[in-house]
Amino acid sequence: MSSRVLDRVALALSVLPGAVLWGSDRGAALQMSGDLPRWATFRDALLVGPDAGAWASSANALFLGRYEDLDAHRLPVLPRLIALVMNFQPDVALAGHLLNHLLHLALGPVVFLLGRRWMGAGAALGASLVACTFQPTVFAADRYGVDPLVTLLLPLALLAADVAAERPKWSPLLGIVVGIASSAHLTTIGIGVPALTLTFLSAGREGWGFDGRRRAQAAVGLLLGTLLGVFLVFWRYPVLPWGLFTGSLAEGVAPGAGMANQAQLAETSSMAAQVVRGGLPGAASAAIRSEEHTSELQSPCNLVCRLLLEK
């Protein structure tokens, strides 16, 4: 069997961990009566996750064309993608969860392709398996938030940078991918630096025969594409003032004590599911996924209280 065929088989296998985890999760989770899609579970109907309500609010505002309601603290990539999915899955909660499942499904192939450029097919496949089955990655894919997007975009940006080093004429187009990754979250803003460094260093890889001019062409093209990607993502989207931006960065580096409550999320979801199964009217799920989508909806205490009040 040729190496090309082996690569294709390994690439196909890299999708399996994400697909198996999604399918097994669906089979084990509690199903809620009503009109949930076949792919969804009870958790997919809830806005539970880091700043879930805020992300959903911005996505809903984009979908409805209410640009004045956008939250500048939530960078544009995730709201834009959720709004795109809402064209065929109008419920913002279900749309966001479906997007996260698909992003997790794509993580294996992206990690494999990046690894395959530097190592053998077996090692690259092993790296993709670890990335897809890593417990925090799996946990994040079941929640409503930006984590699965960030997890995918970081290796995707490095893959684009490495390909740009090999094919400098494509570097502006590939730089757009790096620009999108840089605009996904406050923690990914600096991804352009390692991406640009990788492009510059990889362009001199032995056997490619690049001279200084072609190396500069790859790096400059990637940089210009990155700037274009950032511009396209932020088009018609509000930008934080510098003071609020630096404050948000500082808060992300040293989060408050509220993060301690994250350990209660699994127990809270189980409690809410039991209440729903106990005969809760359908209005409860509508209340959780109301048009307000305020950030308070993600609070474990408020989630259970709303369910109990609706009973």
Side-chain angles (χ1 to χ4, degrees):
M1 188 179 293
S2 67
S3 60
R4 180 172 296 183
V5 174
L6 285 174
D7 285 346
R8 291 176 178 175
V9 171
L11 179 60
L13 290 175
S14 68
V15 184
L16 287 182
V20 170
L21 287 170
W22 187 4
S24 61
D25 178 71
R26 183 184 180 279
L30 294 170
Q31 290 293 320
M32 205 166 60
S33 59
D35 56 349
L36 282 180
R38 294 185 61 182
W39 59 265
T41 68
F42 169 78
R43 288 192 299 270
D44 295 321
L46 302 177
L47 291 174
V48 177
D51 301 318
W55 288 111
S57 179
S58 287
N60 200 51
L62 271 176
F63 181 70
L64 298 175
R66 299 200 307 252
Y67 296 97
E68 67 278 4
D69 294 335
L70 293 172
D71 180 3
H73 289 84
R74 314 300 156 195
L75 298 193
V77 180
L78 181 64
R80 289 193 184 278
L81 289 176
I82 294 176
L84 182 64
V85 176
M86 287 175 69
N87 284 292
F88 54 89
Q89 177 56 70
D91 185 292
V92 69
L94 292 174
H97 280 290
L98 175 59
L99 174 66
N100 279 353
H101 288 310
L102 294 175
L103 291 172
H104 185 242
L105 198 63
L107 179 62
V110 169
V111 172
F112 171 80
L113 291 173
L114 176 61
R116 187 64 184 91
R117 297 184 62 81
W118 292 88
M119 60 188 76
L125 183 60
S128 70
L129 177 63
V130 171
C132 289
T133 57
F134 187 49
Q135 194 274 336
T137 304
V138 176
F139 180 60
D142 281 335
R143 303 166 75 194
Y144 196 102
V146 74
D147 291 343
L149 177 66
V150 171
T151 304
L152 176 68
L153 284 180
L154 291 179
L156 184 61
L158 295 179
L159 175 60
D162 199 43
V163 174
E166 182 181 7
R167 302 179 182 274
K169 291 183 179 179
W170 295 7
S171 59
L173 183 61
L174 294 165
I176 294 177
V177 177
V178 180
I180 292 173
S182 302
S183 308
H185 194 258
L186 293 175
T187 58
T188 67
I189 289 176
I191 187 60
V193 176
L196 187 63
T197 303
L198 178 62
T199 297
F200 187 78
L201 295 178
S202 294
R205 193 181 300 177
E206 184 179 356
W208 286 3
F210 282 176
D211 55 23
R213 183 183 63 81
R214 295 193 66 186
R215 182 182 296 206
Q217 179 186 359
V220 171
L222 189 82
L223 176 60
L224 293 177
T226 300
L227 296 175
L228 177 60
V230 172
F231 172 79
L232 293 175
V233 168
F234 275 95
W235 181 67
R236 298 189 68 181
Y237 208 91
V239 179
L240 279 175
W242 179 251
L244 291 177
F245 171 74
T246 54
S248 297
L249 280 180
E251 182 182 354
V253 172
M259 291 296 293
N261 293 329
Q262 297 300 319
Q264 303 173 359
L265 276 173
E267 181 181 356
T268 302
S269 296
S270 177
M271 292 170 59
Q274 292 176 15
V275 175
V276 171
R277 291 188 73 195
L280 193 66
S285 61
I288 297 171
R289 298 178 285 119
S290 67
E291 292 184 358
E292 297 176 356
H293 299 303
T294 55
S295 58
E296 287 77 10
L297 288 176
Q298 71 174 322
S299 164
C301 296
N302 288 344
L303 174 62
V304 174
C305 288
R306 291 186 75 132
L307 287 166
L308 292 174
L309 288 172
E310 287 287 338
K311 187 172 181 180

